[in-house]
């Protein structure tokens, strides 16, 4: 934890200020008369203000010593000269130096009260009409509203950055909205812990048994468990978790939950002998998936005779002979409206997809290819020779300011212009994204979904691919034969061995799979760094930028957070010609490999052809090209796009020299270094190990504790995800939730 220092003084001048995100660079004159540079989110600050800043001293490569503000208290100017400096800075639209001098000369130390409460008095000054006085007063009140919101948050040691997000979502009434319901802070906009929001609510006089408090706790539990992959929670578990969170009586939670159900904020339905409680949005998404899948399944047409002839033509054209299961997959694509193809590495999924693409094209169908991540879409393009897009981009994702959620321009009102859609890496698709895809497909559109059901499930809620397979309602082809060329790869062989519950072979006579035993964390880390920095580039001919380090965990001495710091120091050390930007405990440096850690629909990007768009998505990996000397923005190259990030968006970025196995889903790397030591039990499972092994294309080096690796291979414990999709499809359920 960083040690905070305190600095008290008066703002002398502004060097830089971004009105959109509040990022500011200013000069502060301390009580001792010394001038210091302060940087951070300090919206609407102006010369003449008094600041008490708690922050961290840093040394900027170009600008020298400066304090990065973490917390601050603000006091408005009091004497007339400070008031003049404050108003003449342009802090209030419509007031320049001449007007500021006239106002201060006329109203003195009462100036700010007049501007906020009695702006009509300004009409006594020459050149200020009643309309202008009203505009000046309104502008000043907006400034004061944001200041008061920041001051309110500061009482609870909450960052000024939150004020910008709240104002963006709730407008000028943000403070009133927050006072009326402090639990707004626990939403995605702010992501403040429930305990903090609860503390604020209690300090405002809300009673412990308030319905608002208990209902907020219920919805918090549902949102929290959505992040753990659950589409719903059984009522008894939801009530018990809420009681534990609040330390309150069961009947109060039952009553609050019933009120939420009555308002249809929470939907309750009997699912597989459970009283399932859903957030309304997730319930609607699950129901939509089932309803629209049924429509697609009804559009099946038997073209088997035509398919057999076309398959023979494709085999001759491509110079191959399909294995029985591959041929079955291509033939079924001609007959079925919806088709699933699943298989492990080396079982011919790509060959099957190529055949299906050729089949659809010969049938005169307009084929669209998509995948959940940019890397998966790029690989799909390379393997098929056709353009593939991410699902978000295909569906035209936008940001709905009103609801604070993602929206898609492609839907039932404006469907995709496609006769057939093929989606790869389907195991990564959650129920929300799948619902959006199905809404955008016209009746009769063919849908082929490809993936590996043994990989980890999606980061978002649901277990869609597995549920579809297990429902028995969707035709599924299981590719089980490992082809001779793939079988020569020890990576592929060991992945299949692990999938059977056996540890990988550790013998070093394998040409693409190696194990280095390191049972202490310091030796493991030094070995990983040495491999990435010198051994693989120099001895194996693999450039450092084509090597990906993976770990099951973020935390600890072998977690990605520590590995990233060590790898950054080795692969991209600090230098005079490299600008840096410190954000929390992270240092971002020009040349760093970084990753987007959450969806952000406001990030602006541009392609080389001049195409401009917005939106970067969880898991996107890029390289920092440039950091503005002021530290206010940086540019990142993501394959064919260059994105610009402002200072307030840096919390969404992380270093990506090392990443968790979960974050690596959908990606494939030339070389993978997998670091494994004992970690949290939920991470030491077969699915994590199997997914990690299948990320490597040419070379995999496993570094760590062989006992931990064996334990992972043997542990097939899978965290249960509460989802009604399989049950709805299997039982052809069309009933609605209880009112």
């Amino acid at each position: 934890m960083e040690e905070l220092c305190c600095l008290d003084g008066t703002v002398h001048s502004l060097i830089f200020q971004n009105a959109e995100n509040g990022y500011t660079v200013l000069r502060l004159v301390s009580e001792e008369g010394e001038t210091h540079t302060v940087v951070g989110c300090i919206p609407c600050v102006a010369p003449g203000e008094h600041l008490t800043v708690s922050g961290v001293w840093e040394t900027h490569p170009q600008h020298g010593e400066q304090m990065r503000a973490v917390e601050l208290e603000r006091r408005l100017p009091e004497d007339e000269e400070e008031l003049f400096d404050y108003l003449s800075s342009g802090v209030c639209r419509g007031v320049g130096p001449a007007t500021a001098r006239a106002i201060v000369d006329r109203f003195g130390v009462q100036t700010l009260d007049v501007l906020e409460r009695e702006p009509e008095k300004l009409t006594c000054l020459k050149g200020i009409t009643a309309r202008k006085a009203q505009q000046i007063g309104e502008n000043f009140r907006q400034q004061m509203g944001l200041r008061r919101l920041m001051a309110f948050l500061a009482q609870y040691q909450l960052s000024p950055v939150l004020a910008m997000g709240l104002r963006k979502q709730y407008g000028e009434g943000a403070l009133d909205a927050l006072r009326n319901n402090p639990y707004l802070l626990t939403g995605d906009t702010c992501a403040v812990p429930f305990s903090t929001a609860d503390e604020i609510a209690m300090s405002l006089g809300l009673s412990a048994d308030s319905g608002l408090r208990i209902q907020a706790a219920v919805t918090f539990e549902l949102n929290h468990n959505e992040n753990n992959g659950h589409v719903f929670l059984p009522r008894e578990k939801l009530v018990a978790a809420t009681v534990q969170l609040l330390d309150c009586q069961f009947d109060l939670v039952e009553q609050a939950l019933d009120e939420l159900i009555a308002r249809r904020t929470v939907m309750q339905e009997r699912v597989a002998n459970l009283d399932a409680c859903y957030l309304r949005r997730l319930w609607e998404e699950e129901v939509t998936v089932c309803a629209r899948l049924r429509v697609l399944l009804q559009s099946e047409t038997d073209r088997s005779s035509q398919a057999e002839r076309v398959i023979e033509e494709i085999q001759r054209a491509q110079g191959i002979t399909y294995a029985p299961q591959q041929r079955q997959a291509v033939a079924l694509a001609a007959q079925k409206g919806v088709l699933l193809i699943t298989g492990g590495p080396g079982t011919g999924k790509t060959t099957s997809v190529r055949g299906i693409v050729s089949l659809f094209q010969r049938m005169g169908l307009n084929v669209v290819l998509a995948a959940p991540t940019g890397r998966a879409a790029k690989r799909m393009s390379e393997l098929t020779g056709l353009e593939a897009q991410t699902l978000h981009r295909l569906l035209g994702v936008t940001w709905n300011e009103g609801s604070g959620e993602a929206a898609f321009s492609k839907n039932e009102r404006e469907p995709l212009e496609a006769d057939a859609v093929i989606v790869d890496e389907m195991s990564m698709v959650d129920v929300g994204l799948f619902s959006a895809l199905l809404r955008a497909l016209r009746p009769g559109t063919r849908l082929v979904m490809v993936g590996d059901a043994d990989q980890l499930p999606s980061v978002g809620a649901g277990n869609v691919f597995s549920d579809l397979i297990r429902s028995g309602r969707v035709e599924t082809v299981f590719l089980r034969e490992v082809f001779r060329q793939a079988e020569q790869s020890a990576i592929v062989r060991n992945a299949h061995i692990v999938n059977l519950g056996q540890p990988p072979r550790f013998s070093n006579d394998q040409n693409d799979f190696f194990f280095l035993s390191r049972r202490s964390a310091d030796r493991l880390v030094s070995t990983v760094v040495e491999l990435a920095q010198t051994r693989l580039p120099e001895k194996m001919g693999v450039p450092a930028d084509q090597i990906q380090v993976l770990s099951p965990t973020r935390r600890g001495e072998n977690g990605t957070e520590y590995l990233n710091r060590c790898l950054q120091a080795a692969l991209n050390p600090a230098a005079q010609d490299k600008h840096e930007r410190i954000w929390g405990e992270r240092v971002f440096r020009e040349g760093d490999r970084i990753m987007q850690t959450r969806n952000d629909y406001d990030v602006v990007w541009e392609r080389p052809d001049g195409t401009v768009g917005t939106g970067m998505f969880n898991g996107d990996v890029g390289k920092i090209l440039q950091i503005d000397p002021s530290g206010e923005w940086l540019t990142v190259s993501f394959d064919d796009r260059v994105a610009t990030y402002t200072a307030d968006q840096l919390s969404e970025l992380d270093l990506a020299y090392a990443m968790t196995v979960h974050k690596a889903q959908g990606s494939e790397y030339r070389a993978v270094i997998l670091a494994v030591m004992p970690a949290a039990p939920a991470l030491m499972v077969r699915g994590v190990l199997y997914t990690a092994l299948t990320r490597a294309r040419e070379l995999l080096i496993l570094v760590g504790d062989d006992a931990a690796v064996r334990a992972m291979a043997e542990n097939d414990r899978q965290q249960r995800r509460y989802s009604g999709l399989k049950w709805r499809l299997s039982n052809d359920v069309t009933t609605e939730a209880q009112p």
Side-chain angles (χ1 to χ4, degrees):
M1 193 70 181
E2 296 172 321
E3 183 177 348
L4 300 183
C5 302
C6 190
L7 184 62
D8 193 89
T10 303
V11 178
H12 176 268
S13 59
L14 300 183
I15 300 171
F16 176 85
Q17 188 168 57
N18 186 316
E20 291 296 317
N21 57 45
Y23 183 81
T24 302
V25 181
L26 59 82
R27 301 287 191 205
L28 190 75
V29 179
S30 70
E31 294 179 344
E32 294 78 20
E34 298 177 343
T35 301
H36 302 280
T37 301
V38 177
V39 302
C41 181
I42 317 175
C44 310
V45 71
E49 279 195 67
H50 300 284
L51 299 182
T52 299
V53 183
S54 296
V56 179
W57 288 108
E58 301 171 344
T59 301
H60 192 279
Q62 276 73 42
H63 305 296
E65 189 177 56
Q66 59 187 29
M67 175 174 279
R68 172 169 51 87
V70 177
E71 302 171 3
L72 58 90
E73 295 179 14
R74 302 170 63 163
R75 301 182 303 284
L76 288 169
E78 297 169 353
D79 66 42
E80 293 188 7
E81 279 310 304
E82 289 176 346
L83 286 166
F84 169 72
D85 290 341
Y86 180 70
L87 287 180
S88 63
S89 69
V91 69
C92 181
R93 292 196 308 275
V95 178
T99 304
R101 175 54 67 192
I103 293 173
V104 173
D105 287 348
R106 175 65 179 82
F107 299 106
V109 295
Q110 303 300 316
T111 291
L112 300 185
D113 286 336
V114 170
L115 289 174
E116 185 172 11
R117 298 183 179 87
E118 301 176 287
E120 65 275 5
K121 288 185 176 181
L122 298 176
T123 57
C124 70
L125 301 174
K126 184 179 179 181
I128 299 184
T129 63
R131 182 178 179 182
K132 184 174 181 181
Q134 183 182 4
Q135 290 175 338
I136 291 173
E138 180 61 28
N139 292 337
F140 190 72
R141 280 192 295 273
Q142 290 179 5
Q143 295 279 5
M144 290 301 100
L146 182 58
R147 287 179 61 95
R148 291 191 178 99
L149 179 59
M150 292 173 58
F152 178 83
L153 294 171
Q155 296 177 63
Y156 305 97
Q157 289 75 52
L158 294 176
S159 167
V161 175
L162 294 180
M164 304 298 289
L166 285 166
R167 188 174 75 163
K168 184 175 182 181
Q169 185 165 355
Y170 299 103
E172 298 306 323
L175 182 55
D176 288 338
L178 192 55
R179 287 183 181 277
N180 291 332
N181 184 5
Y183 300 103
L184 296 173
L185 290 169
T186 62
D188 289 341
T189 299
C190 301
V192 170
F194 184 87
S195 58
T196 302
D198 204 35
E199 176 192 348
I200 296 172
M202 296 296 100
S203 71
L204 292 174
L206 198 70
S207 64
D209 60 357
S210 161
L212 173 65
R213 178 178 187 245
I214 300 173
Q215 289 175 26
V218 171
T219 54
F220 170 80
E221 286 292 346
L222 288 173
N223 278 297
H224 175 74
N225 280 281
E226 178 188 356
N227 293 330
N228 291 332
H230 300 297
V231 183
F232 71 81
L233 283 184
R235 181 178 176 115
E236 61 179 24
K237 288 184 178 291
L238 174 58
V239 171
T242 307
V243 167
Q244 184 176 9
L245 178 67
L246 298 180
D247 191 21
C248 66
Q249 297 176 8
F250 273 84
D251 60 340
L252 292 176
V253 177
E254 294 274 8
Q255 180 182 344
L257 177 54
D258 286 338
E259 290 174 1
L260 289 168
I261 293 170
R263 296 205 307 266
R264 296 177 72 84
T265 301
V266 172
M267 310 297 282
Q268 181 172 300
E269 185 175 1
R270 191 72 178 169
V271 172
N273 298 319
L274 297 172
D275 288 323
C277 293
Y278 294 78
L279 290 169
R280 180 169 178 166
R281 167 178 49 82
L282 290 173
W283 179 82
E284 289 175 344
E285 289 169 348
E286 188 174 276
V287 169
T288 297
V289 165
C290 293
R292 298 194 73 86
L293 262 181
R294 289 190 191 99
V295 173
L296 295 180
L297 288 168
Q298 290 168 1
S299 63
E300 298 176 354
T301 55
D302 187 355
R303 302 193 184 184
S304 53
S305 58
Q306 178 184 355
E308 289 302 320
R309 175 180 55 79
V310 174
I311 289 172
E312 293 299 330
E313 294 174 0
I314 294 171
Q315 288 187 135
R316 286 194 297 272
Q318 296 182 356
I320 60 173
T321 300
Y322 292 127
Q325 292 167 343
Q326 292 175 320
R327 189 182 185 104
Q328 179 192 19
V330 180
L332 284 171
Q335 304 171 38
K336 301 296 180 180
V338 185
L339 177 65
L340 301 172
I341 302 174
T342 183
T347 57
K349 294 191 297 294
T350 299
T351 300
S352 300
V353 169
R354 284 200 196 104
I356 291 171
V357 169
S358 295
L359 172 74
F360 285 164
Q361 289 176 330
R362 290 167 187 255
M363 291 168 61
L365 304 180
N366 178 25
V367 184
V368 170
L369 307 183
T373 67
R375 283 179 172 263
K378 183 179 180 181
R379 190 173 76 250
M380 198 178 187
S381 296
E382 293 169 348
L383 295 174
T384 62
L386 294 179
E387 180 187 3
Q389 302 178 63
T390 64
L391 284 166
H392 284 91
R393 196 145 291 121
L394 175 68
L395 298 174
V397 69
T398 57
W399 181 248
N400 187 323
E401 294 287 354
S403 66
E405 298 175 355
F408 298 94
S409 61
K410 296 297 182 181
N411 49 44
E412 51 271 85
R413 292 182 300 278
E414 187 183 340
L416 291 168
E417 296 294 328
D419 302 313
V421 175
I422 303 176
V423 181
D424 197 11
E425 295 289 352
M426 188 63 199
S427 62
M428 297 183 64
V429 176
D430 61 33
V431 67
L433 188 55
F434 192 44
S435 171
L437 173 63
L438 292 178
R439 289 178 58 201
L441 300 184
R442 297 173 299 190
T445 303
R446 295 169 181 272
L447 177 61
V448 178
M449 294 169 281
V450 186
D452 186 343
D454 294 313
Q455 287 186 22
L456 292 169
S458 58
V459 174
N463 200 1
V464 171
F465 194 50
S466 178
D467 283 351
L468 293 176
I469 293 171
R470 293 185 299 116
S471 74
R473 290 298 307 277
V474 184
E475 189 75 47
T476 304
V477 177
F478 296 89
L479 300 177
R480 294 190 173 95
E481 179 184 351
V482 180
F483 292 95
R484 183 178 303 171
Q485 183 176 357
E487 200 171 28
Q488 295 173 358
S489 165
I491 297 172
V492 173
R493 290 199 305 273
N494 279 308
H496 285 278
I497 288 171
V498 165
N499 208 25
L500 294 173
Q502 303 169 19
R505 291 184 59 227
F506 291 146
S507 63
N508 282 331
D509 60 349
Q510 305 170 109
N511 60 359
D512 61 354
F513 187 104
F514 301 91
F515 173 71
L516 302 177
S517 177
R518 301 290 187 271
R519 295 193 173 182
S520 66
D522 57 342
R523 289 193 65 213
L524 178 146
V525 172
S526 63
T527 299
V528 168
V529 171
E530 182 186 1
L531 286 166
Q533 183 181 22
T534 57
R535 287 171 65 176
L536 294 191
E538 294 176 5
K539 296 183 179 179
M540 304 292 287
V542 183
D545 62 359
Q546 296 181 32
I547 301 168
Q548 183 60 57
V549 176
L550 300 180
S551 171
T553 181
R554 283 179 53 84
R555 309 294 183 188
E557 294 177 296
N558 65 303
T560 58
E561 290 181 350
Y562 183 63
L563 284 167
N564 267 318
R565 290 197 292 271
C566 296
L567 289 163
Q568 181 192 44
L571 300 175
N572 189 33
Q576 286 292 326
D577 61 343
K578 294 180 185 176
H579 294 147
E580 294 182 354
R581 177 69 164 89
I582 299 175
W583 183 263
E585 297 182 357
R586 302 185 191 116
V587 177
F588 293 112
R589 185 175 296 139
E590 289 176 343
D592 274 339
R593 187 191 306 175
I594 59 93
M595 175 173 55
Q596 180 80 22
T597 59
R598 59 183 289 265
N599 293 347
D600 187 330
Y601 307 98
D602 293 328
V603 177
V604 179
W605 52 260
E606 182 176 2
R607 287 199 176 99
D609 62 4
T611 303
V612 177
T614 60
M616 298 304 302
F617 304 104
N618 188 1
D620 286 345
V621 175
K623 179 180 179 181
I624 297 178
L625 298 179
Q626 182 182 6
I627 298 177
D628 174 55
S630 71
E632 193 273 332
W633 55 262
L634 55 81
T635 57
V636 182
S637 171
F638 292 93
D639 294 325
D640 64 337
R641 292 164 293 151
V642 174
T644 301
Y645 286 80
T646 54
D648 62 322
Q649 294 170 316
L650 296 184
S651 61
E652 303 165 0
L653 298 180
D654 201 355
L655 295 175
Y657 299 101
M659 67 176 68
T660 63
V661 177
H662 285 80
K663 287 292 187 183
Q665 284 179 268
S667 297
E668 187 179 72
Y669 310 97
R670 182 176 173 186
V672 167
I673 302 170
L674 176 60
V676 177
M677 295 280 283
L683 299 173
M684 304 303 289
V685 295
R686 185 184 305 166
V688 172
L689 180 59
Y690 175 77
T691 301
L693 299 187
T694 55
R695 300 308 91 204
R697 186 171 67 249
E698 295 181 15
L699 178 66
L700 188 137
I701 301 181
L702 206 164
V703 183
D705 186 334
D706 57 332
V709 176
R710 289 190 175 92
M712 291 179 76
E714 294 168 0
N715 184 3
D716 194 28
R717 183 174 67 86
Q718 298 179 7
Q719 181 185 10
R720 179 180 181 183
R721 290 190 167 195
Y722 289 110
S723 162
L725 181 58
K726 171 184 174 293
W727 176 80
R728 290 182 193 280
L729 290 171
S730 300
N731 296 280
D732 202 24
V733 175
T734 57
T735 55
E736 291 196 357
Q738 298 171 12

